[in-house]
Amino acid sequence: MPYSMKPLGCDPARVRGMSEKLIISHYENNYGGAVKRLNLIEERLSELDWQTTPGFIVNGLKNEELIARNSMILHEVFFDGLGAESEPDQVLVDALARDFGSFERWRAEFTAMGKAQGGGSGWVLLTYSSRDRRLVNAWAADHTTTIAGGVPLLALDMYEHSYHIDFGAKAADYVETFMAAIDWPNVLRLYGETER
């Protein structure tokens, strides 16, 4: 089944502190590239003779499939999580306080994780762990290392393509800008879906 790009989940002209050029480039080139790559990999996998294909080819294609699929999904969460300035609903504030001690402590941890990845690559994810029935901040590299069974509610993309056009090497400034542009109603919607 071929995948197609999901419509951009934020209005690129309304994300304070990030240029429309940055967001459109990120959406078209990086997210769009992941979708295209996933389709090509799936096409190749559908053509394999599973009885005779060498293991190294199977391993390579399945690894690339995982990277492309998670890149697609995490980019969708990233763009859906951007919007006009908003504040978290009391339901989220209470959940974050329950699982992190306070909203401020969650914010400090999430922000510190993003800044720690500056100059590197990866994701910072606010994730609902269905196993533990709680919210956790997760570090994810290569689009693959994240919590098994977790549902990402908020994704901060720390690959340089997500900020370099506007911020250059100032990853910490990008993290602060992201934190001020979180679309909290979307995070609440995703959190509500985990409670069902």
Side-chain angles (χ1 to χ4, degrees):
M1 162 196 261
Y3 293 92
S4 58
M5 291 174 64
K6 180 180 169 186
L8 186 56
C10 64
D11 180 347
R14 295 193 64 218
V15 178
R16 182 182 286 180
M18 293 183 201
S19 70
E20 191 170 349
K21 177 182 178 181
L22 170 68
I23 293 171
I24 296 294
S25 174
H26 190 176
Y27 171 77
E28 291 176 351
N29 297 307
N30 302 99
Y31 169 63
V35 173
K36 289 175 190 169
R37 192 168 64 249
L38 179 58
N39 284 327
L40 290 171
I41 294 165
E42 297 243 327
E43 181 181 317
R44 179 66 197 259
L45 286 169
S46 73
E47 297 167 353
L48 286 184
D49 178 342
W50 294 100
Q51 300 289 331
T52 61
T53 301
F56 70 90
I57 292 175
V58 172
N59 283 342
L61 284 170
K62 292 304 283 184
N63 181 57
E64 289 300 318
E65 178 191 35
L66 177 62
I67 290 169
R69 184 181 312 282
N70 280 354
S71 179
M72 177 183 71
I73 292 167
L74 293 177
H75 275 102
E76 290 170 358
V77 175
F78 171 78
F79 290 116
D80 287 350
L82 290 174
E85 285 186 50
S86 61
E87 294 296 323
D89 180 274
Q90 193 61 45
V91 170
L92 278 174
V93 170
D94 291 346
L96 291 165
R98 177 194 69 219
D99 296 335
F100 292 91
S102 69
F103 170 77
E104 293 75 18
R105 185 157 175 78
W106 165 79
R107 187 185 194 293
E109 180 181 311
F110 193 91
T111 302
M113 290 172 67
K115 290 178 180 180
Q117 286 191 40
S121 298
W123 295 86
V124 181
L125 307 172
L126 173 60
T127 301
Y128 180 78
S129 170
S130 55
R131 180 191 182 277
D132 299 327
R133 301 177 86 52
R134 68 182 298 264
L135 297 168
V136 295
N137 285 330
W139 175 89
D142 198 22
H143 311 293
T144 59
T145 53
T146 190
I147 298 170
V151 177
L153 309 179
L154 180 66
L156 169 56
D157 188 344
M158 287 306 299
Y159 285 85
E160 284 188 344
H161 65 250
S162 64
Y163 60 87
H164 200 268
I165 289 173
D166 286 358
F167 298 91
K170 295 178 182 175
D173 291 350
Y174 160 71
V175 171
E176 291 295 341
T177 300
F178 174 87
M179 296 304 290
I182 294 171
D183 182 349
W184 285 106
N186 184 69
V187 178
L188 178 63
R189 179 186 63 78
L190 293 173
Y191 180 63
E193 290 174 7
T194 67
E195 297 291 301
R196 292 182 185 147

